[in-house]
Amino acid sequence: MKADSIRLPRPLNLIDGAWVAAASGREMDVRSPIDGEVFTRIADSGPEDVDAAVAAARAAFDGGPWSKLTAAERGRLMLRLGNRILEEAEELARLETMDNGKPIKQARADMIATARYFEYYGGGADKVHGEVIPFLSGYHAEVRREPHGVTGHIIPWNYPAQMFGRSIAPALAMGNATVLKPAEDACLSALRIGELATEVGFPAGAINIVTGRGEVAGKALSEHPGVDFMSFTGSPEVGVMIQVAAAKNFIGCTLELGGKSPQIVFDDADLEAVYPVLVNAIIQNGGQTCSAGSRVLIQRGVYDKVMDELKARFEAVTASDSGEDAVLGPLISARQKKRVETYIAEADAPLVARGSIAQGSPEGGYYVAAALFGPCEPDSKIAQEEVFGPVLCAIPFDDEADAIRIANGTDYGLVAGIWTSNGGRQQRMAKAMHCGQVFINGYGAGGGIELPFGGIRKSGHGREKGFAALHEFSRIKTVVNNHG
Ligand code: NAD
């Protein structure tokens, strides 16, 4: 894939409807994970750029044209943006692959999903109603759902376009004005979608995009006193800082911080259906998915059989340069490659299988061969920590109680998959899982815009996706009228 065949966004921020350079004039290099080469630049923004973006959002929210739109009009704009994303999907997908390294097929699927966020929440904009509460005689009591005001959004690099949609679409639907800080490692699709938003007629200040480093621009946004609500997706370490900053400003926040999600395979499962899903749930997007199925718990009676099959499948996985046939592309950065390779080299469990890297893959690209470990002790480092790479840990278990103990035995709690043909067990296991989403006889890493999604404990709190996100991005006001 050649950079000159793709239209690249300019190194500018979107503030108050205009494309502007960072006030300092600073820019930073962008490298493609496919070959490690610098192919463009982005604005390296500072606190003053964040100030300008928050002020623009405030003006849009407090009396600006954005605040005057009806919910239906907001929804219509969002539907238009969804359509434009679909029209530009191929070019956007190519941009995403160059910027993030993901296989082109994955990037195409991501663009459909990104458009869906604007369709789904555009359709929902005028469907969040208040309530009337039966109260004292002579009183009318109602509950209204109102936008927070200015919402801040800090998103990661793993699904840049999808995260853009997932984070800001529900906020816009509820009438908030938004300031987004995309990840410095992959933010070009967000900038391109920002251009499309301007083109379809979003009023100035409704969507502001400020690029730059997390510890500078991200920090400034998370600590900004002009922000009324923060939405963050990324690492637990930064999530803690976001929550502390939100606490100091007395505002709410949602945190989506990843996981160590288990897929639990009982001996009565349809194993042929299980195998491809187990592999895909950790290979998809290079394992850089918050809800990746990174642990597989296998009932002891079928452990050897399942592992024989997984070994063969992992050995057949080839990392390659993200072209039409690629299933596993490079990881996002040299830093992430090193992190994942260190986990593999230092793993405290037997290595069962390793995939390969395609001959002729560009030298400087961030390729890592898939790895399968097992049997892993449930408390081992490799089975406890989020690797965020194509690394699967297998853990044998004896019975339901054992499976529940191991599945719930990490600091995380995002998603769980349960594979069994026993109906009662399906219900018992779903109830016992400490996490935000459970799949039974299936697994959707990252899937389902309609499905409320989020974690507990180190996986974060708050819910995105589904109508739950519309509730997160709004607040309740109770109005009591003594009419006599
Ligand atoms: P990160 O948390 O540093 O980055 C996520 C976002 O936060 C980026 O936009 C970044 O610019 C911003 N950020 C960084 N420091 C900040 C600060 N001090 N204040 C405000 N914003 C800040 O994640 P990373 O370093 O890119 O990845 C490290 C690990 O985090 C990964 O290996 C993985 O385990 C995890 N991760 C999880 C997800 C997820 O989807 N849950 C996404 C990305 C990374």
Side-chain angles (χ1 to χ4, degrees):
M1 202 159 301
K2 290 264 171 291
D4 54 14
S5 67
I6 300 171
R7 207 182 123 216
L8 298 171
R10 292 165 298 162
L12 303 174
N13 291 321
L14 175 60
I15 298 178
D16 206 14
W19 291 95
V20 290
S24 66
R26 275 203 296 270
E27 294 179 359
M28 55 198 290
D29 288 342
V30 178
R31 289 177 191 277
S32 175
I34 294 172
D35 55 13
E37 300 287 330
V38 173
F39 69 99
T40 190
R41 294 172 72 74
I42 55 169
D44 182 6
S45 310
E48 58 283 9
D49 304 299
V50 172
D51 279 347
V54 172
R58 176 62 58 200
F61 182 77
D62 281 344
W66 176 241
S67 70
K68 301 212 166 58
L69 296 184
T70 64
E73 287 166 337
R74 287 198 304 272
R76 200 171 295 134
L77 270 179
M78 294 177 65
L79 293 172
R80 266 193 231 146
L81 180 53
N83 279 336
R84 282 296 288 129
I85 292 168
L86 288 180
E87 284 165 8
E88 298 292 324
E90 182 59 25
E91 172 139 3
L92 276 166
R94 280 151 43 81
L95 182 66
E96 193 84 315
T97 288
M98 171 148 277
D99 197 19
N100 164 284
K102 64 179 66 202
I104 186 69
K105 279 190 194 136
Q106 173 73 54
R108 287 187 186 122
D110 283 10
M111 295 314 145
I112 312 270
T114 307
R116 278 284 293 136
Y117 279 111
F118 288 96
E119 291 166 356
Y120 180 84
Y121 289 112
D126 57 355
K127 294 172 189 67
V128 181
H129 305 156
E131 289 175 344
V132 173
I133 298 182
F135 191 50
L136 302 174
S137 161
Y139 284 79
H140 173 84
E142 67 184 31
V143 171
R144 301 177 186 177
R145 273 216 169 258
E146 299 185 340
H148 293 291
V150 174
T151 51
H153 306 257
I154 298 179
I155 59 172
W157 40 258
N158 51 350
Y159 290 84
Q162 277 210 56
M163 291 291 170
F164 178 95
R166 180 172 113 184
S167 197
I168 74 164
L172 292 168
M174 294 309 296
N176 300 282
T178 60
V179 180
L180 175 103
K181 210 298 285 172
E184 52 273 51
D185 282 328
C187 63
L188 301 181
S189 58
L191 293 171
R192 185 74 188 100
I193 298 170
E195 289 173 16
L196 299 178
T198 315
E199 195 187 297
V200 301
F202 270 87
I207 302 173
N208 301 276
I209 305 174
V210 181
T211 63
R213 285 166 289 148
E215 63 277 18
V216 181
K219 183 169 186 291
L221 180 58
S222 67
E223 293 176 353
H224 204 290
V227 171
D228 299 305
F229 187 83
M230 269 305 300
S231 163
F232 174 78
T233 301
S235 61
E237 295 71 24
V238 177
V240 169
M241 294 186 223
I242 302 292
Q243 180 143 349
V244 168
K248 286 184 176 162
N249 281 330
F250 299 98
I251 61 168
C253 64
T254 55
L255 302 178
E256 202 270 89
L257 310 176
K260 194 74 181 176
S261 297
Q263 295 214 57
I264 307 169
V265 182
F266 285 92
D267 58 10
D268 61 356
D270 173 0
L271 295 180
E272 289 306 316
V274 173
Y275 299 132
V277 179
L278 288 184
V279 176
N280 188 51
I282 189 67
I283 296 301
Q284 177 187 320
N285 216 47
Q288 303 166 120
T289 303
C290 43
S291 51
S294 51
R295 289 186 296 158
V296 55
L297 280 48
I298 308 169
Q299 198 159 18
R300 228 172 270 280
V302 290
Y303 183 84
D304 289 342
K305 182 175 178 191
V306 172
M307 288 303 279
D308 284 348
E309 184 65 29
L310 284 181
K311 179 176 188 298
R313 289 180 186 246
F314 264 70
E315 283 170 349
V317 172
T318 306
S320 65
D321 70 358
S322 308
E324 290 297 336
D325 298 327
V327 290
L328 174 61
L331 301 188
I332 185 72
S333 60
R335 187 170 68 115
Q336 191 67 15
K337 174 178 151 92
K338 184 156 181 252
R339 173 188 159 104
V340 174
E341 279 179 341
T342 305
Y343 268 108
I344 293 172
E346 295 177 358
D348 42 358
L351 177 69
V352 174
R354 212 61 219 272
S356 58
I357 298 174
Q359 296 247 327
S361 298
E363 274 287 292
Y366 311 132
Y367 301 92
V368 174
L372 172 66
F373 290 96
C376 304
E377 287 299 323
D379 292 338
S380 61
K381 185 173 175 200
I382 195 79
Q384 285 287 321
E385 297 186 8
E386 185 179 50
V387 176
F388 230 54
V391 178
L392 180 62
C393 299
I395 307 170
F397 70 88
D398 293 319
D399 52 19
E400 272 181 44
D402 201 25
I404 292 166
R405 181 182 58 77
I406 298 169
N408 290 339
T410 73
D411 292 339
Y412 292 99
L414 193 59
V415 179
I418 294 161
W419 296 88
T420 174
S421 53
N422 178 325
R425 175 182 282 161
Q426 291 169 359
Q427 291 306 320
R428 287 191 297 276
M429 291 297 294
K431 186 170 177 217
M433 291 298 101
H434 293 173
C435 63
Q437 217 176 45
V438 176
F439 288 91
I440 299 166
N441 291 334
Y443 195 83
I449 282 140
E450 306 82 353
L451 310 175
F453 174 76
I456 62 168
R457 296 183 305 191
K458 203 174 173 182
S459 290
H461 56 72
R463 292 295 176 264
E464 295 183 294
K465 303 186 173 182
F467 259 51
L470 295 173
H471 292 162
E472 293 284 4
F473 284 106
S474 59
R475 57 191 180 208
I476 279 174
K477 182 185 281 170
T478 306
V479 178
V480 182
N481 182 350
N482 174 0
H483 54 72

